[in-house]
Amino acid sequence: MFHHMYRIWHLLFLGGFVLSGVRHVCGIDIYTPSEIEAVNGTDVKLKCTFTSSHPVSPMSVTVSWSFRALSSGPDESVFYYQEVPYPPQEGRFKGHAVWSGDIMRKDVSITLQEVPPTFNGTYICQVRNRPDVHGHNGEIILRVVNKVSLSEIGLLAAVVGGACGVILILLGIFVAVRFYRRRQVENDIELHSGEYEKDPTVCSPAEAVHLIAVHKEKEAISSDDEESEPSSGDDEEEDGLGDDDDDDDDDDDLEDDDDD
């Protein structure tokens, strides 16, 4: 019984080391797009990033890019990096492959310049970060074409861009119509103001108030004159009475003369 328990513990102990070793050697994960497209004669970036369970430094990381043609054949070296970039010195990729990565950002991308149709094939990105030296490689299928085909993302971007363009056009038309109407109203106001100034028979509201006030003053003066007219009749009556008194005096004088 004791012997069996000892063997079980021994297996579990060794299994722990084995499992930890598996996690250790599989610490590198590499990420690449599965397929990209480039127009003949243009530049294209082969994107490749990685993660590692160990610290990353330019001295610890090595990068190797290789190429597998569509037709069967051996893999061809494209690019190599170890502390510094090593571009190819011969073969079809000489003068076409340049470094575009950043080790500290875990980016090991390269750029192919002026790609011809002979660059059609599969590109393999291999990264090692000692002691992480095992892991799956990243693969990218490159298709060199004469004209870029419209992908689903490109189609969606075109639809969204078209919708935004239509909205901007409608907004511009709305703003232009509002501006035109406002200018038309302002011109109408200015035109009517000019007509009021040019027509002598039309007066402004302030002048109309002034004329009304002057008219009322004239009516008040006329009413005062009419009220003063009866008083002149009384004076004439008084004058008449005065004349009668004078006549009476004259009659008295004549009577006195007769008595004499």
Side-chain angles (χ1 to χ4, degrees), residues 195-212:
E195 290 177 355
Y196 290 146
E197 292 177 358
K198 292 178 182 179
D199 191 355
T201 62
V202 178
C203 59
S204 64
E207 293 176 347
V209 172
H210 177 69
L211 292 175
I212 292 172

Side-chain angles (χ1 to χ4, degrees), residues 89-250:
Q89 301 298 318
E90 58 183 12
R92 76 178 77 190
F93 296 103
K94 180 180 179 181
H96 290 280
V98 295
W99 177 251
S100 300
D102 186 344
I103 295 297
M104 299 310 297
R105 293 185 178 182
K106 300 177 182 179
D107 184 355
V108 293
S109 305
I110 62 172
T111 298
L112 299 179
Q113 298 176 335
E114 301 177 357
V115 293
T118 55
F119 282 14
N120 278 305
T122 302
Y123 292 81
I124 299 106
C125 177
Q126 185 182 45
V127 183
R128 299 292 179 261
N129 180 39
R130 295 183 303 271
D132 287 343
V133 295
H134 297 283
H136 297 289
N137 299 327
E139 294 187 357
I140 305 173
I141 298 174
L142 174 64
R143 294 191 301 116
V144 180
V145 296
N146 293 324
K147 186 178 180 180
V148 177
S149 61
L150 191 62
S151 62
E152 293 181 359
I153 296 177
L155 181 61
L156 179 62
V159 171
V160 173
C164 293
V166 172
I167 292 173
L168 291 176
I169 291 173
L170 294 176
L171 182 61
I173 294 173
F174 175 76
V175 172
V177 170
R178 289 289 301 273
F179 177 78
Y180 174 76
R181 288 181 177 177
R182 182 177 298 176
R183 290 293 302 171
Q184 190 175 11
V185 171
E186 292 177 356
N187 291 334
D188 292 340
I189 293 173
E190 292 177 358
L191 180 61
H192 289 308
S193 300
E195 290 177 355
Y196 290 146
E197 292 177 358
K198 292 178 182 179
D199 191 355
T201 62
V202 178
C203 59
S204 64
E207 293 176 347
V209 172
H210 177 69
L211 292 175
I212 292 172
V214 171
H215 181 67
K216 288 183 177 180
E217 290 179 359
K218 288 183 178 180
E219 289 181 351
I221 293 172
S222 299
S223 61
D224 292 340
D225 292 340
E226 291 176 357
E227 290 176 357
S228 62
E229 287 177 357
S231 63
S232 62
D234 294 337
D235 292 339
E236 290 178 355
E237 291 179 358
E238 289 179 358
D239 292 339
L241 292 174
D243 293 339
D244 293 339
D245 292 338
D246 291 339
D247 292 339
D248 292 338
D249 291 339
D250 292 339

Side-chain angles (χ1 to χ4, degrees), residues 58-70:
M59 286 72 70
S60 63
V61 175
T62 58
V63 182
S64 176
W65 280 89
S66 58
F67 170 72
R68 185 183 305 126
L70 295 177

Side-chain angles (χ1 to χ4, degrees), residues 21-73:
V22 169
R23 288 195 299 270
H24 173 71
V25 298
C26 295
I28 286 189
D29 292 319
I30 300 175
Y31 307 94
T32 59
S34 60
E35 184 176 342
I36 58 176
E37 195 174 78
V39 177
N40 184 15
T42 63
D43 299 347
V44 59
K45 184 176 182 179
L46 303 181
K47 184 74 174 178
C48 181
T49 58
F50 71 96
T51 59
S52 176
S53 58
H54 286 270
V56 174
S57 69
M59 286 72 70
S60 63
V61 175
T62 58
V63 182
S64 176
W65 280 89
S66 58
F67 170 72
R68 185 183 305 126
L70 295 177
S71 59
S72 60

